[in-house]
Amino acid sequence: MSPAVPNDCHSPSGMGFFNLVANGFDRVSAPVKQAWRWPASFVARLRLLLFRVLWLTGLVMAGMMAAAAAAAAAGAAGPALRDLAVLVDPAGEETLASVLAAAPERFTPLPSGNLVAGYTRRVHWLRFTLDAPAGEWILDILPPFLDDLRLYEPDPGRPGVFRERRAGLGLPITEGQIPYRGIAFRLAQPDDQPRTYYLRLATTGSSILVPRLWAPAAFHAHDTLEASLLLAGLAVLLTVMLLALNHWFWLRDPLSPWFLAYVGCMFLNLLGSFGFVAQYLLPNAPLINRHWLGVFALGAIAFGNGFYRLLFNIDRRHRLLYRLYWAGIVVPLLGIPLVLLGYRTEVISPMLNAVILMNGVGLYLSLRLWRRGEPGSGFMFSANLISMLGILVTILHLLGYVHAGLPPLYSLHVASLGTVLALYLAIGARFRGLREERQRAQDRARRAQAEAEQERAAREEQSGLFAMISHEIKTPLTMIDGAVQSLQALVPPAPEVDRRHERIRRAVSRINALVEKTLEYDRIGHETQTLEHRISLDLGRLTHSVIAGYGLPVTRLALMVDGPVPIIGNPNLIEVLLTNLVDNALKYSPEDTQVTVTLGTTRQAAFLEVRDRGPGIPPPLRPILFDRYVRGQNVGDIPGAGLGLYLVRRIARWHDGEVECLEREAGGACLRVSLPLRSSGGSD
């Protein structure tokens, strides 16, 4: 959805309070009823107060609108203007004398009683007859933001002579006859005879002119009522802005600044289009008043598109829509300098067609979100639907295709306020959804932390139990091994006895190895283990230290490395990784074969390969080789727990690396570990 067209273009989207009906009265009335229960906190009370002001203002506006409509109808029932006709001056070269001398057929009758010519540079001369009793009358011209309007009034004392009076945004409002926010002329009717008047209209906005004739008392009463109604509408916008500011303050939702800018530009645009800027703020600054509407109209369109882009979650994944909405932001902003240079007609007119397009897109997107059940999507869809209908009527009216007269000038402002209210309700639903999601995330984080604490306590208890059990197991095993060695020294050599002693010692060694591997797994292999104390180190130097600790000849264990191999890692864990790989290779390869450890680097990684000439790894075993408790069927009575290679993979992955089993044509196994190289900016 695009932003609605603000008032120079004459409105943010044409929506009304019907959006509340679309989403169900119960859905709206329930939170309103609940809101009358005062909460304890000051901030909550302030927010509730603003919420009440918003709804009470809406009720007041509804009543005042009914009163204004009744007053307008009463004013229209009195003496009126008749025989309204228009002469079009394409080049703006006509004068009053040429218009008076023009052939009657050049004037086109306006039976609707108003002029709707759209955005054009043409000048329009209107002729009408005042048929009213003698006395003073007031001619009120709508809309109040016309640039240059000149009234030619017949001089009662000099037949055929006309007096010129000027009004519009091109003049200071202090030069007018009546201190009024719009355009009004006093007409003196000396007798009951009809008199013919002429109006010359030249404006850079939409050439819409609706004349109304009032008795002075009725005019002032209606002006007071209408001004109160319009100020109430502006109060609604201010209240919505304060509530949205409160949302942004508490949630920091990126949607709120766009919404504030959108409603702010709309507020300033309406303030100017209602005539309050020219009457109260800048009465002697006609140049600013002429540009005020165009600038803030384009600002509302631009920020409205930005707001709807976020509201509909349009990002770079939606390539076409993303570009379309960003064009809807950038193009209006680029049009602001052109408006300041006097090209409002040329800029605003094409923007209206773009607004229709963006409203159609917004209607589709809001329908899609509604079908998905997104928070606030019901309000969004209702707002876009009514906005689409209202904006079509408005734009057709502004472009001169629909001669709707007064209804768009009044109802469009109320519909615009309805749009803002509906959008605020949608943002409120989004706010509640985000707040609930944040609360759920906090609850999940607290539960995860509590579970982690419980698991850590259980792990500490388990580790203590493992340490105690290992001590209780290893102590008697040491005694058994010592006793077997003593027996071997005391008992005369006998093949059968020696064989049994060796079997006992191998069993003891196997149990010891199993206990050590279990303790190592308990210390390193738990799923919640995290990698800490990482430093810059040379993998080649560390590997050389580990290989040297075995004390084996090169024919049994060889290291091949060219230059330093820099990585970032935990030296203790890397040492465990190296030891498990080398132990595994030595354990499964014959004692008369060589185990080769090779280190090197590629463009982005360091690699470590351990090759042996053992029985190799059967193909069915390779997919699960690095899982826990996995051992091959061809290892015989070689001791092991099936945890060594599992720990190798865990440590490699903690260092953002990986381990794999390579194919070997010469037999044996080759395990390769890849680790990220240390960047040149790393430091020890």
Side-chain angles (χ1 to χ4, degrees):
M1 154 111 197
S2 114
V5 183
N7 240 344
D8 172 48
C9 332
H10 233 2
S11 135
S13 9
M15 301 193 32
F17 292 100
F18 304 104
N19 45 56
L20 303 180
V21 178
N23 209 44
F25 177 77
D26 290 337
R27 189 171 177 181
V28 177
S29 61
V32 174
K33 293 176 182 177
Q34 183 67 23
W36 291 98
R37 301 178 183 177
W38 282 91
S41 70
F42 171 76
V43 175
R45 289 184 179 218
L46 179 61
R47 184 166 63 248
L48 179 57
L49 177 62
L50 294 174
F51 187 77
R52 290 181 178 181
V53 170
L54 178 68
W55 285 103
L56 290 176
T57 304
L59 293 176
V60 172
M61 284 184 61
M64 295 180 71
M65 175 57 73
L81 309 175
R82 60 180 177 82
D83 300 332
L84 187 67
V86 61
L87 181 149
V88 180
D89 179 9
E93 298 175 349
E94 299 282 355
T95 63
L96 178 62
S98 65
V99 171
L100 291 173
E105 58 270 15
R106 291 188 60 189
F107 282 87
T108 303
L110 297 174
S112 63
N114 56 78
L115 170 69
V116 181
Y119 282 87
T120 176
R121 290 281 184 176
R122 296 178 176 181
V123 175
H124 295 83
W125 290 82
L126 284 89
R127 184 185 64 193
F128 63 89
T129 299
L130 175 62
D131 188 3
E136 183 181 75
W137 300 91
I138 293 179
L139 177 64
D140 176 24
I141 305 294
L142 292 178
F145 47 80
L146 300 173
D147 292 346
D148 184 6
L149 191 64
R150 304 178 188 184
L151 174 68
Y152 295 93
E153 177 184 21
D155 189 338
R158 295 182 296 171
V161 177
F162 289 81
R163 294 178 297 185
E164 180 184 85
R165 283 191 276 168
R166 301 179 63 182
L169 292 181
L171 294 175
I173 199 170
T174 52
E175 295 185 8
Q177 291 182 318
I178 303 173
Y180 175 53
R181 57 186 175 78
I183 300 173
F185 299 99
R186 293 184 186 275
L187 303 181
Q189 186 77 338
D191 50 42
D192 294 342
Q193 296 298 319
R195 283 175 171 78
T196 300
Y197 290 75
Y198 291 87
L199 275 171
R200 181 184 185 274
L201 171 64
T203 184
T204 56
S206 181
S207 296
I208 299 175
L209 190 146
V210 181
R212 298 183 299 180
L213 187 65
W214 300 87
F219 170 76
H220 291 297
H222 182 266
D223 175 42
T224 302
L225 180 62
E226 188 178 58
S228 301
L229 172 65
L230 298 177
L231 288 173
L234 295 176
V236 171
L237 289 181
L238 278 177
T239 305
V240 170
M241 291 174 65
L242 290 174
L243 292 170
L245 185 63
N246 176 64
H247 283 177
W248 178 80
F249 179 79
W250 289 106
L251 194 62
R252 300 295 177 179
D253 182 7
L255 186 68
S256 297
W258 287 95
F259 182 71
L260 285 170
Y262 171 40
V263 179
C265 286
M266 186 187 303
F267 173 83
L268 294 173
N269 179 266
L270 290 174
L271 195 68
S273 66
F274 294 157
F276 294 121
V277 174
Q279 183 178 10
Y280 298 112
L281 301 181
L282 302 169
N284 295 308
L287 183 62
I288 297 178
N289 290 328
R290 288 183 64 179
H291 296 319
W292 182 283
L293 299 179
V295 169
F296 289 109
L298 293 175
I301 293 174
F303 293 121
N305 278 315
F307 162 70
Y308 282 110
R309 184 186 70 82
L310 293 178
L311 188 66
F312 294 134
N313 299 315
I314 302 299
D315 52 27
R316 293 183 181 275
R317 294 173 297 176
H318 314 87
R319 185 175 303 176
L320 179 60
L321 289 174
Y322 183 79
R323 293 177 178 175
L324 185 63
Y325 271 99
W326 270 109
I329 298 171
V330 174
V331 173
L333 294 179
L334 293 177
I336 291 178
L338 297 177
V339 168
L340 296 176
L341 292 174
Y343 294 97
R344 190 172 82 175
T345 301
E346 291 76 12
V347 172
I348 297 297
S349 182
M351 288 293 173
L352 298 180
N353 297 289
V355 167
I356 294 178
L357 170 64
M358 298 306 291
N359 272 267
V361 172
L363 182 64
Y364 165 73
L365 294 176
S366 59
L367 175 61
R368 190 172 64 176
L369 292 178
W370 185 36
R371 294 181 62 183
R372 292 178 181 174
E374 296 287 336
S377 56
F379 288 112
M380 281 189 284
F381 175 68
S382 300
N384 279 271
L385 179 61
I386 300 176
S387 172
M388 186 64 184
L389 298 176
I391 207 68
L392 282 175
V393 174
T394 302
I395 291 179
L396 292 176
H397 179 66
L398 292 174
L399 294 177
Y401 299 124
V402 175
H403 294 257
L406 277 177
L409 299 179
Y410 277 107
S411 63
L412 193 57
H413 301 322
V414 178
S416 302
L417 299 178
T419 300
V420 173
L421 289 174
L423 292 175
Y424 170 72
L425 293 174
I427 292 178
R430 175 190 172 102
F431 172 79
R432 289 190 297 274
L434 291 175
R435 185 172 55 187
E436 292 171 359
E437 179 60 31
R438 177 177 291 182
Q439 185 63 43
R440 287 194 295 268
Q442 292 175 350
D443 293 341
R444 288 194 299 268
R446 283 194 292 267
R447 287 196 300 269
Q449 184 177 3
E451 293 173 359
E453 290 294 337
Q454 294 176 357
E455 188 172 356
R456 188 178 298 110
R459 287 293 302 166
E460 291 176 356
E461 183 178 354
Q462 176 181 314
S463 298
L465 180 62
F466 278 175
M468 181 190 68
I469 293 176
S470 65
H471 178 268
E472 294 299 322
I473 292 176
K474 293 179 72 173
T475 298
L477 288 177
T478 303
M479 295 174 61
I480 292 172
D481 188 60
V484 171
Q485 293 184 53
S486 299
L487 287 175
Q488 285 180 316
L490 295 174
V491 178
E496 183 63 27
V497 175
D498 290 342
R499 188 164 47 253
R500 291 185 179 183
H501 287 171
E502 288 300 325
R503 289 180 61 187
I504 292 173
R505 294 196 65 189
R506 283 199 302 272
V508 169
S509 176
R510 186 169 184 174
I511 296 174
N512 266 324
L514 181 60
V515 170
E516 287 294 336
K517 192 62 68 176
T518 302
L519 288 174
E520 192 175 74
Y521 167 71
D522 179 63
R523 186 176 70 254
I524 299 176
H526 193 258
E527 293 294 335
T528 59
Q529 176 78 21
T530 58
L531 184 61
E532 299 176 351
H533 309 299
R534 294 190 296 179
I535 62 173
S536 299
L537 55 90
D538 183 357
L539 183 59
R541 184 182 303 173
L542 181 60
T543 305
H544 184 274
S545 175
V546 171
I547 297 299
Y550 282 89
L552 296 175
V554 176
T555 56
R556 178 59 176 149
L557 182 59
L559 173 63
M560 301 175 63
V561 58
D562 293 328
V565 182
I567 65 169
I568 298 288
N570 185 312
N572 295 328
L573 295 180
I574 295 295
E575 185 173 341
V576 172
L577 178 146
L578 292 168
T579 302
N580 275 281
L581 285 174
V582 174
D583 284 349
N584 189 75
L586 292 174
K587 184 166 56 176
Y588 291 108
S589 62
E591 294 186 1
D592 57 348
T593 60
Q594 185 186 59
V595 172
T596 305
V597 180
T598 304
L599 279 82
T601 60
T602 62
R603 233 176 174 185
Q604 297 179 343
F607 66 87
L608 167 71
E609 293 182 356
V610 180
R611 298 182 179 88
D612 64 56
R613 295 187 177 275
I617 300 170
L621 189 63
R622 290 173 185 170
I624 59 172
L625 179 64
F626 300 100
D627 293 347
R628 283 178 289 190
Y629 314 123
V630 172
R631 303 193 72 212
Q633 302 296 325
N634 58 342
V635 298
D637 60 351
I638 299 175
L643 293 174
L645 294 183
Y646 167 76
L647 295 179
V648 168
R649 184 175 65 176
R650 291 290 298 165
I651 295 172
R653 289 182 174 177
W654 287 335
H655 288 80
D656 299 322
E658 192 54 84
V659 60
E660 58 183 329
C661 177
L662 303 180
E663 296 283 350
R664 288 202 65 194
E665 296 180 358
C670 178
L671 301 181
R672 178 188 177 106
V673 176
S674 301
L675 299 172
L677 279 174
R678 183 184 69 204
S679 63
S680 58
S683 60
D684 292 337

